[in-house]
Amino acid sequence: MASKAAAENVGKHRGWESLNLFLNKYGIVLILLAMLVAFSLLSEGFFTARNIFNIIRQISFMGLIAIGVTMVILTGGIDLGSGSVLALAAVLATSLAQLPESATLKYAGLSVPIGVPVLVALLIGALTGWVNGALIARFRIPPFIATLGMMTVARGFALIYSNKPLSQLTPEYNFIGQGAIAGVPFPVIVLLVVAVLTHIMLNNTRFGRYIYALGGNEQAARISGVNIDRVKIGVYTLAGLLSGLAGLVVSSRVGSGQPGQGVGIELDAIAAAVIGGTSLSGGIGTIWGTIVGALIIGVLDNGLILLNVDQYWITIVKGTIIVVAVIIDQRKNR
Amino acid sequence: MASKAAAENVGKHRGWESLNLFLNKYGIVLILLAMLVAFSLLSEGFFTARNIFNIIRQISFMGLIAIGVTMVILTGGIDLGSGSVLALAAVLATSLAQLPESATLKYAGLSVPIGVPVLVALLIGALTGWVNGALIARFRIPPFIATLGMMTVARGFALIYSNKPLSQLTPEYNFIGQGAIAGVPFPVIVLLVVAVLTHIMLNNTRFGRYIYALGGNEQAARISGVNIDRVKIGVYTLAGLLSGLAGLVVSSRVGSGQPGQGVGIELDAIAAAVIGGTSLSGGIGTIWGTIVGALIIGVLDNGLILLNVDQYWITIVKGTIIVVAVIIDQRKNR
Amino acid sequence: VAPAAAPAAAPAAEEAAAEEAAPAEGGDAIRVGVTMLFDDRWLTSMREAMAAYGEAQEGVEVIFVDSKEDVAVQLGQVENFITQGVDAIVVVPANTDATDPMTQAALDAGIPLVYVNRKPANLPEGIAFVGSDSIDAGIFQMEWIAEALGGKGNVVILNGNLSQEAAQMRTEGVKQVAANFPDIALTKEQSGNWSREEGLAIMENWLASGDQIDAVASNNDEMAIGALAAIEAAGKLGEIIVGGVDASADALAEMDAGRLNVTVFQNAVGQGEGGIAAAIALARGEAIEQITWIPYELVTPENYKDYMK
Amino acid sequence: MGEETVLVMEHISKAFPGVQALSNVHLAVRRGTVHALMGENGAGKSTLMKVLIGMYLPDQGEITFLGRRVKIESTQQALRMGISMIHQELSPEPYMTVAENIFLGREPLGRWGLIDKKKMVADTRALLERLEIDIDPNTVMRTLSVANTQMVEIAKAISYESRLIIMDEPTSAITDREVAHLFRMIRALKAKGVAIIYITHKMDEVFQIADEITVFRDGQHIATVRAADTDRNSLIAMMVGRELTNLFPKEEATIGEVVLSVRNLTRSGLVHGVSFDLHRGEILGLAGLMGAGRTEVIEGIFGIQPIDAGEIYVRGERVRIQAPADAIQHGMALLTEDRKLTGIMGVLSVRDNMMIASLGSYTRGGFLNRRVIDETCGREKSRLELKTPHMDQLIKLLSGGNQQKVLVSRWLLTVPDILILDEPTRGIDVGAKSEIHRLMSKLAQEGKAILMVSSELPEILGMSDRVLVMHEGRVGGEFVRKDATQETIMRAATGQRVAA
Ligand SMILES: Nc1ncnc2c1ncn2[C@@H]1O[C@H](COP(=O)(O)OP(=O)(O)OP(=O)(O)O)[C@@H](O)[C@H]1O
Ligand SMILES: Nc1ncnc2c1ncn2[C@@H]1O[C@H](COP(=O)(O)OP(=O)(O)OP(=O)(O)O)[C@@H](O)[C@H]1O
Ligand SMILES: [Mg+2]
Ligand SMILES: [Mg+2]
């Protein structure tokens, strides 16, 4: 009888619960929509297919990194090295995709199929990520320190490999960042595909669930027989791979691999994840939330410029709006 | 009977325990000592009073920020805005301490006593910190986001206030960063005094113990009657104040207030805290550990330059050594 | 001497503006979008010159955005300008080797584009440039230092941010000149990230090493001033030649005090005004020279007074 | 033993910094039996079990499982071999559903290697139904009560179909009703030949369910006996090393005026119009089934959660309590039910944990008086027979019962007038328990008022001057000491009208 009452209780709370869940889930989307409406009213050029693609293309590589860092944060970790890894991947890849007539030619006489630079970028990304993961899982280095180390080390190697930008790239390479399929810019497609795949991975595979389990309660995961170390190494490797992919996208977008590329992008990516509802203590967060977070950042960057807001004020306004968005998002959680 | 056996047991293990405690506590000091010995052997100029003062002077303002961020991390938070607040405090203070003949004079005809710029720097620091604290405590914004917001906002205001360096300062002002008392550089004295005071505060006052309690278990602390919000606001205010102080020290050291000053210094400061044994999940850490961490970073920066290490390799070597130091420090904990 | 090097395009545009008091094209104001690095001393002066010049022109509005020295950010900004429908775009390229997508976007949209200050590696027909050649700054600086050293001595280099164009090219210039003097050795080189504080710290550390240093070639004045503070603290003022770049107010004051030996003037006002003038002219469909050079000028204790306001 | 022996552990030793947790102990468990492991807090029971499931590597010793010599190095391996465990410290994945928690680490896979969520939920539902546990598999763990969380962990451990199940204080958070339920499950498991190691501090449970009993003291094996061959008193003697007579040393205290008065306390959906008075010198027991809302009442009184309606009077005066600090100001103290979540500050020292609530009384000129603090800690340590190598030890390294003792000290040091104790002796050994009970009696005699929530009826009956029984957020009955019996309380707790 008592247990029946309990069951009823559960039932009763279920409805309220789902409204709450809805707000929890979609509060930040409402904020994004509000922004879109506001900017559309304030600026004519804002709500055009072209500008919307602009925004997504502009956040595409940051979005890739944000997806990676979301998974890392879900385990209760952090990745500060993404921007540097992006640069390292970019210079390595572009050095293998230069036109023979390039003024900054790194390897004269080199002509390799497009797959090679792509693979190299992904591999170096994955490798740096693996190193992060190994340091964190096996040597118990706090993720903040391990990836901060990677931030300086990868940047150093990028600069040693080439302290100058590597430009004049093959058209196939440039297609990654500049091309379009059926009118949809290729970077946008890449971002969407990665988002969908990681979403499925997180929700429907063991590895994905273990990522959440680690962040929710590492101890519980361990005593349930989850191989903690393997999951950690896997997550950081994946995040590194996505940083490498971001390096590909950004270098092909600007047609040049730059050792100084991507400074500070990790903070934007982390902000995107947190705005999108990822908890920095792990266990809570979704990929699509992160995408919404990245869009909010992209829309602000784009919209404030369209409105001719003074540049110094842009940073102030952007910082403030992000904080306010998070406040609103928190409030409704009460 | 049983308790007597237990007491004996305890007695027996006391020796082993204290060795372990010693290693736990002083492991990182041994690493610092090892570095000092290595650099002394490798470079003649390294182990001179003058160079040691160089090192401490060079880390003095980062050290101040590291002390502040240590307290913040002890509560389980983080502060990413320190570098920007430093810059804001620096331009505000120096604008009130320019010589009348300065080429970049901000306020013509202004001549205020030295106390005014000092107070202004400390106040603006405290104010920004208070805002951080209020956002975090009252609006439940994750510290990462609140202080990331402050990072961009404070930098924006610094640039709006003066987008040029404010130079040619009064001798009294410059004394803060350039002067010496009895041969000891003034910034070194400032750092030491602040370190001692905060150490005492953390260990011998209620406020200090509450800081640890918050990081240990916020909910438990609240139930034990700790006013969580007040402690949080207090800690961030204090950290802000120290960032303001750091702004004073660095601007007087170079004789110029620069809106672009201090970018990325917060990461060095956090690294110093973590190297010194502060746990990013809160509750664990000491001021003197942080000072040792800051010294390790300073010694590396200084020693590697003395050894003429190639500039590209410096970041790589520094990043690697820091990670290795943390590995060694972790190992002995096992 | 300095203001005399005003750009060719500027006066022409001024005249054009004077003649045609009414704003161009359907009575709308001409809007010029500028993307450039904000967090830089010299570029800020140039930006202020641009803003002032734009303000002075009737019916012209100049919008500035911060490129943060990031090519991807800058490309995004150019795209946003195009969406916004500005009449002309001015770009201080974050990197001269990665301008093609911006160039292409502007050409596709039919919006005039002017590169200012740094010359893109690839400057196709229809795209203008107003500026100077970064490498010259290093060459001028080092030539003077080499002569002052009598062709003999140990020179150290303070680099700007290693991943930035200006730092790479200025250092390149210094090295080119030094290569011509067999008795000049470039003994040390570190990045001080354009910062006075870092310049000071690095110089303190170099001096502590006890190695002989005869001259400092700094990529900018800020680091040079930092180095001077370290030299002063070590009691070696006057023994070490210090050269900077920018001829900033602080640097000229240091030179006035007899501490800084040489710096290189880059005409911020000339480049800024020239850039905006070119953009306005193109927006109005007027023809201009594709390239307008505004050269660097050497500033020494002999002529520095000409550069003080 | 022979054929039937499932597990033999021999010569097991394990030391931690400053503590010899186990020295040369042995344990043998037979198929289809319940083997109780008893001992004071810190005796090493949990440690031995963690050695068994590969969480700790022993310093020495051998393990034979199902007749084979094994070296167990990870929980994964232990699970695979057929050993599962209900851990003393509840350790759920808070943001995951019940089904995900139960299948964590062995999710059923469907097409393309993706998790078959339907099957997972269906299997969970079947499992819970089979075990007669009424919880929706899709509920998020965080929203479950402590009791339900424990039921889920029990279900999870059973679901591995192991040959040996370790239950480390599985009833710490549940009431008699669920305990009876658990015992039914255990008997069913026994019948299937599963061996069970059962750790508890509750005497009556042992005699209800155990076949054999092993007693540890200070990390040493004291005795192994058949349950039928021993009795409560000799068992206690083995555990504590001395005779312990009066388990509920209730002393008469003069009951004085009302000090705390609660009127119409309401928290929507949880507590409905609860009113009661608490007098000087009185111990008021608050009984009820799990989920009855007792904790919720207390959270409202103490200012942990906001109340929607109701008044609180302290010594006749209306008080407004918005935060625990206000409650403490008014002379209240609260020992919470969830030690890990709201009690201990894990990475802090025993000293810090003990002093946190009363630091204000130990300052001199704004600074903490270290000498007095150390003296106080020393006194508390001996008073509660706290087992810790020193006061700088991190509290998380103490055994569960010793952590509880530190928390009791924390509140006594605030010198409260009104003590609210939510499950005060959960996980505490008999010796310490009677010590805490003695303390409660003494405090009541000194004129303190005590409100005690307990799910242990003997404790309620033994200690209370008056018993309040809650049922579904309401006060369902009130009994003075002489009228309170197991039956009357249970009737009120299940919502049957009491003909008083
Ligand atoms: N990880 C650890 N580090 C240091 N000491 C520990 C650790 N784990 C347990 N101990 C110590 O080992 C001893 C045995 O602890 P254990 O948890 O096995 O006791 P227990 O018999 O389960 O007690 P309880 O009934 O209170 O749960 C205690 O003194 C405890 O403080
Ligand atoms: N964190 C929570 N979130 C949502 N509901 C909760 C939470 N904690 C408890 N509840 C609900 O509140 C009710 C009472 O919980 P609980 O079982 O703790 O009551 P109780 O009377 O204190 O019982 P006991 O003292 O036996 O634990 C239950 O219906 C439970 O589901
Ligand atoms: Mg135990
Ligand atoms: Mg309860």
Side-chain angles (χ1 to χ4, degrees), chain D residues 45-47 88 168-169 199 399-400:
Chain D
K45 306 179 294 291
S46 298
T47 303
Q88 180 179 6
D168 195 351
E169 302 194 27
I199 301 177
S399 78

PDB file of all heavy atoms in Angstrom, chain D residues 45-47 88 168-169 199 399-400, ligand 3:
ATOM      1  N   LYS D  45      36.231  -4.779   8.267  1.00  0.00           N
ATOM      2  CA  LYS D  45      35.274  -5.581   7.503  1.00  0.00           C
ATOM      3  C   LYS D  45      35.219  -5.145   6.042  1.00  0.00           C
ATOM      4  O   LYS D  45      35.389  -5.960   5.119  1.00  0.00           O
ATOM      5  CB  LYS D  45      33.873  -5.441   8.134  1.00  0.00           C
ATOM      6  CG  LYS D  45      33.826  -5.757   9.628  1.00  0.00           C
ATOM      7  CD  LYS D  45      32.450  -5.586  10.209  1.00  0.00           C
ATOM      8  CE  LYS D  45      31.948  -4.154  10.208  1.00  0.00           C
ATOM      9  NZ  LYS D  45      32.644  -3.240  11.123  1.00  0.00           N
ATOM     10  N   SER D  46      34.981  -3.847   5.835  1.00  0.00           N
ATOM     11  CA  SER D  46      34.873  -3.356   4.469  1.00  0.00           C
ATOM     12  C   SER D  46      36.188  -3.551   3.723  1.00  0.00           C
ATOM     13  O   SER D  46      36.207  -3.869   2.529  1.00  0.00           O
ATOM     14  CB  SER D  46      34.503  -1.877   4.453  1.00  0.00           C
ATOM     15  OG  SER D  46      33.247  -1.693   5.061  1.00  0.00           O
ATOM     16  N   THR D  47      37.269  -3.358   4.434  1.00  0.00           N
ATOM     17  CA  THR D  47      38.570  -3.495   3.790  1.00  0.00           C
ATOM     18  C   THR D  47      38.762  -4.913   3.259  1.00  0.00           C
ATOM     19  O   THR D  47      39.200  -5.110   2.121  1.00  0.00           O
ATOM     20  CB  THR D  47      39.694  -3.141   4.785  1.00  0.00           C
ATOM     21  OG1 THR D  47      39.472  -1.808   5.261  1.00  0.00           O
ATOM     22  CG2 THR D  47      41.051  -3.228   4.127  1.00  0.00           C
ATOM     23  N   GLN D  88      29.043  -0.344   1.084  1.00  0.00           N
ATOM     24  CA  GLN D  88      28.577   0.355   2.276  1.00  0.00           C
ATOM     25  C   GLN D  88      28.202   1.797   1.942  1.00  0.00           C
ATOM     26  O   GLN D  88      27.152   2.278   2.341  1.00  0.00           O
ATOM     27  CB  GLN D  88      29.677   0.331   3.341  1.00  0.00           C
ATOM     28  CG  GLN D  88      29.303   1.039   4.623  1.00  0.00           C
ATOM     29  CD  GLN D  88      30.431   0.959   5.651  1.00  0.00           C
ATOM     30  OE1 GLN D  88      31.525   0.480   5.363  1.00  0.00           O
ATOM     31  NE2 GLN D  88      30.163   1.432   6.841  1.00  0.00           N
ATOM     32  N   ASP D 168      27.496  -5.168   2.259  1.00  0.00           N
ATOM     33  CA  ASP D 168      28.143  -4.378   3.301  1.00  0.00           C
ATOM     34  C   ASP D 168      27.135  -3.366   3.828  1.00  0.00           C
ATOM     35  O   ASP D 168      26.882  -2.351   3.205  1.00  0.00           O
ATOM     36  CB  ASP D 168      29.394  -3.689   2.717  1.00  0.00           C
ATOM     37  CG  ASP D 168      30.300  -3.147   3.810  1.00  0.00           C
ATOM     38  OD1 ASP D 168      29.888  -3.144   4.982  1.00  0.00           O
ATOM     39  OD2 ASP D 168      31.427  -2.718   3.482  1.00  0.00           O
ATOM     40  N   GLU D 169      26.560  -3.663   4.951  1.00  0.00           N
ATOM     41  CA  GLU D 169      25.522  -2.840   5.573  1.00  0.00           C
ATOM     42  C   GLU D 169      24.432  -2.465   4.568  1.00  0.00           C
ATOM     43  O   GLU D 169      24.180  -1.291   4.320  1.00  0.00           O
ATOM     44  CB  GLU D 169      26.146  -1.592   6.203  1.00  0.00           C
ATOM     45  CG  GLU D 169      27.198  -1.979   7.242  1.00  0.00           C
ATOM     46  CD  GLU D 169      27.602  -0.815   8.142  1.00  0.00           C
ATOM     47  OE1 GLU D 169      26.767   0.084   8.332  1.00  0.00           O
ATOM     48  OE2 GLU D 169      28.725  -0.816   8.627  1.00  0.00           O
ATOM     49  N   ILE D 199      27.390  -7.979   6.161  1.00  0.00           N
ATOM     50  CA  ILE D 199      27.989  -7.130   7.193  1.00  0.00           C
ATOM     51  C   ILE D 199      26.910  -6.224   7.747  1.00  0.00           C
ATOM     52  O   ILE D 199      26.167  -5.612   7.000  1.00  0.00           O
ATOM     53  CB  ILE D 199      29.126  -6.272   6.604  1.00  0.00           C
ATOM     54  CG1 ILE D 199      30.209  -7.172   6.011  1.00  0.00           C
ATOM     55  CG2 ILE D 199      29.702  -5.335   7.656  1.00  0.00           C
ATOM     56  CD1 ILE D 199      31.325  -6.426   5.344  1.00  0.00           C
ATOM     57  N   SER D 399      36.809   4.737   8.796  1.00  0.00           N
ATOM     58  CA  SER D 399      35.698   3.826   8.517  1.00  0.00           C
ATOM     59  C   SER D 399      34.405   4.606   8.709  1.00  0.00           C
ATOM     60  O   SER D 399      34.365   5.633   9.385  1.00  0.00           O
ATOM     61  CB  SER D 399      35.746   2.642   9.468  1.00  0.00           C
ATOM     62  OG  SER D 399      35.258   3.026  10.724  1.00  0.00           O
ATOM     63  N   GLY D 400      33.336   4.084   8.092  1.00  0.00           N
ATOM     64  CA  GLY D 400      32.069   4.798   8.096  1.00  0.00           C
ATOM     65  C   GLY D 400      31.594   5.168   9.495  1.00  0.00           C
ATOM     66  O   GLY D 400      31.177   6.301   9.742  1.00  0.00           O
TER      67      GLY D 400
HETATM   68 MG    MG E   3      32.655  -0.678   6.580  1.00  0.00          MG
END
